Amino acid sequence: MEKLFRMAERKTNFRREIVAGLTTFLAMAYILAVNPSMLSVTGMSAPAVFTATALASAIATLVMAFAANLPIALAPGMGLNAFFAFTVVLGMGISWQTALTAVLCEGLLFIILSIFNVREAIITAIPANLKKAVAAGIGLFICFIGFQNAQIIVNNDATLVGLGHLTSGSAAVAMIGIAVTAVLFALKVPGSILIGILVTTVIGIPFGVTVVPEGWAPFSVPAAPLLFQFDFSHIFSLDFFVVFFTFLFVDIFDTVGTLVGVTNEAHLADSNGNIPRVKQALLADAIGTAAGACLGTSTVTSYVESTAGVAAGGRTGLTSLTTGVLFLVALFLSPLFLLVPGAATAPALIVVGFLMFKAVCGIVFTDVSEGLSAFITIVMMPFTYSIAEGIVWGIITYVVMKAFTGKGRSVPVFTWGLFAVFILRLVLMAVIKI
């Protein structure tokens, strides 16, 4: 294990990595329930999607563990699965088989882009100041997700968001969990975030938040996945191109943002924000997406909840190996893992959000051409509910500010190229109206 994952070099140990992997899994296990529910509205079998979700997550995460040696887990991406189900299938009237074909094509192109270092060049093109902003923005974003999962923040038709009912249900349980997790973390108790998740799950039972069904059993038999359910008859249509391009665009920048944020939080990136074995990490994402399409699920991407494992001490691929194995175990123990409610994982996301937001201290705000683009990057992530959009608008602001303050020559050529792609995307969105 030491030769494979170099734990001593990264100042960690076997026990800490196992705890971190379990913490990451519990923080993102909700996808095993959410993804089948979301994709089933298209007519796909929910049990089959559950199997595909667990297998695709395991495959991608294990590739990340062994090829990249990074503590990052992968699964079908939230947002991308909503786009798949509600925009592509229900909105545009495209069959789920054709949508899966677009995901497959995207994954295959990702593999090519990763092999030829195109995606690696994209990471390099993000200025150092913006990389810190990405980490801080992701912290704010996952904190927002945690508050939503706990129903501390809820929908408000007048103001978009508002405060939930804090004295009952999920919100009350989550607030107790936040207090428990924060105190344990402050006292430097090993595995504090994992303990917080487990304690909050138990606390949720008398509140009715953690629901144990009648006749509940921890074991289940996995259903067969939707293997190779593709339809290539529409691949030359405009609608197919729009779907393909959207999957491609969002996945690239979600993954880039997550890799930057998680590796910075784990102190694995160098002083310039460069990520170790980034090519292999991006390839894991690409392989996961292609495998997921073959199994019958939407785009697989790196998960920001990996920061929960990093906060628990995860620094190597052994964290990912643990998470990947747990996804395989979940195929047979899904009722057990699905007992953990959103209110129990919310404290972990909120505390980790706080830890990641500390990256804002390293941002240079005195130079407006740097500081404003960093600020836009940070706030656009939670406001648009998208890591990708935060990067897009941060880069656009950065290039515009540099160009109009006489500093355009300091902008790398590839960064100008990203700017051009982003502007083209805006034009396409305006023309096609998506």
Side-chain angles (χ1 to χ4, degrees):
M1 284 292 182
E2 175 57 39
K3 287 182 179 180
L4 185 60
F5 296 114
R6 306 198 309 276
M7 288 179 280
E9 179 184 319
R10 296 188 182 177
K11 300 178 181 179
T12 185
N13 55 56
F14 182 83
R15 177 185 174 280
R16 190 179 299 159
E17 293 292 301
I18 298 299
V19 169
L22 179 56
T23 301
T24 295
F25 177 78
L26 289 177
M28 61 187 289
Y30 66 87
I31 194 61
L32 292 170
V34 174
N35 203 49
S37 173
M38 191 167 291
L39 297 192
S40 65
V41 302
T42 68
M44 300 173 74
S45 164
V49 174
F50 176 91
T51 301
T53 302
L55 286 175
S57 302
I59 291 168
T61 304
L62 291 174
V63 173
M64 180 70 76
F66 292 112
N69 193 23
L70 290 173
I72 297 173
L74 303 94
M78 290 296 294
L80 286 164
N81 53 7
F83 177 76
F84 181 106
F86 297 104
T87 300
V88 177
V89 179
L90 299 183
M92 300 175 67
I94 293 174
S95 69
W96 60 263
Q97 292 90 342
T98 302
L100 280 180
T101 306
V103 174
L104 174 68
C105 293
E106 172 218 342
L108 295 176
L109 181 57
F110 264 7
I111 292 174
I112 296 170
L113 294 178
S114 299
I115 291 172
F116 289 98
N117 301 325
V118 175
R119 294 172 73 183
E120 186 176 351
I122 291 173
I123 294 179
T124 305
I126 299 175
N129 219 35
L130 287 192
K131 286 177 180 175
K132 295 171 185 175
V134 166
I138 290 175
L140 196 60
F141 181 38
I142 65 171
C143 179
F144 184 56
I145 292 172
F147 279 125
Q148 280 190 308
N149 290 348
Q151 296 179 27
I152 294 173
I153 291 177
V154 297
N155 178 65
N156 185 303
D157 291 336
T159 61
L160 296 183
V161 294
L163 196 62
H165 298 289
L166 303 185
T167 57
S168 62
S170 293
V173 170
M175 290 178 69
I176 296 171
I178 292 168
V180 170
T181 306
V183 170
L184 290 173
F185 193 86
L187 294 174
K188 298 182 179 179
V189 175
S192 56
I193 291 178
L194 174 59
I195 294 171
I197 293 173
L198 298 177
V199 169
T200 309
T201 299
V202 174
I203 291 172
I205 295 174
F207 282 83
V209 173
T210 302
V211 180
V212 182
E214 186 177 346
W216 177 84
F219 303 102
S220 62
V221 178
L226 299 166
L227 286 172
F228 307 112
Q229 297 293 308
F230 300 123
D231 180 359
F232 292 93
S233 62
H234 303 286
I235 63 172
F236 297 110
S237 67
L238 178 61
D239 282 349
F240 185 89
F241 173 78
V242 171
V243 172
F244 165 80
F245 179 80
T246 303
F247 279 136
L248 179 71
F249 184 90
V250 174
D251 194 19
I252 283 179
F253 291 99
D254 262 2
T255 301
V256 167
T258 301
L259 287 175
V260 170
V262 174
T263 53
N264 271 279
E265 178 64 19
H267 305 294
L268 296 176
D270 63 21
S271 57
N272 295 318
N274 297 317
I275 301 168
R277 301 182 69 81
V278 65
K279 181 175 181 177
Q280 291 85 344
L282 294 169
L283 194 58
D285 181 281
I287 290 171
T289 293
C294 293
L295 290 163
T297 186
S298 53
T299 303
V300 171
T301 188
S302 301
Y303 254 58
V304 70
E305 284 83 357
S306 301
T307 49
V310 167
R315 293 294 181 272
T316 75
L318 182 54
T319 295
S320 301
L321 172 59
T322 304
T323 305
V325 170
L326 286 171
F327 271 116
L328 293 176
V329 172
L331 283 168
F332 304 93
L333 296 174
S334 60
L336 179 64
F337 290 115
L338 295 179
L339 280 182
V340 180
T345 58
L349 297 180
I350 292 165
V351 171
V352 171
F354 153 72
L355 295 173
M356 292 194 69
F357 193 72
K358 291 189 296 184
V360 76
C361 297
I363 298 172
V364 179
F365 284 109
T366 51
D367 181 349
V368 178
S369 67
E370 295 275 347
L372 181 61
S373 57
F375 174 74
I376 293 296
T377 300
I378 292 169
V379 298
M380 286 297 281
M381 287 186 185
F383 289 170
T384 62
Y385 218 77
S386 169
I387 295 171
E389 293 296 345
I391 295 174
V392 167
W393 290 102
I395 292 286
I396 289 175
T397 305
Y398 178 83
V399 173
V400 169
M401 290 299 296
K402 290 293 184 183
F404 285 93
T405 55
K407 302 175 183 177
R409 291 185 179 180
S410 67
V411 179
V413 173
F414 203 90
T415 307
W416 276 104
L418 287 181
F419 174 78
V421 169
F422 296 160
I423 296 300
L424 176 61
R425 171 179 175 261
L426 291 177
V427 172
L428 287 173
M429 289 175 67
V431 171
I432 302 173
K433 297 181 180 180
I434 63 168

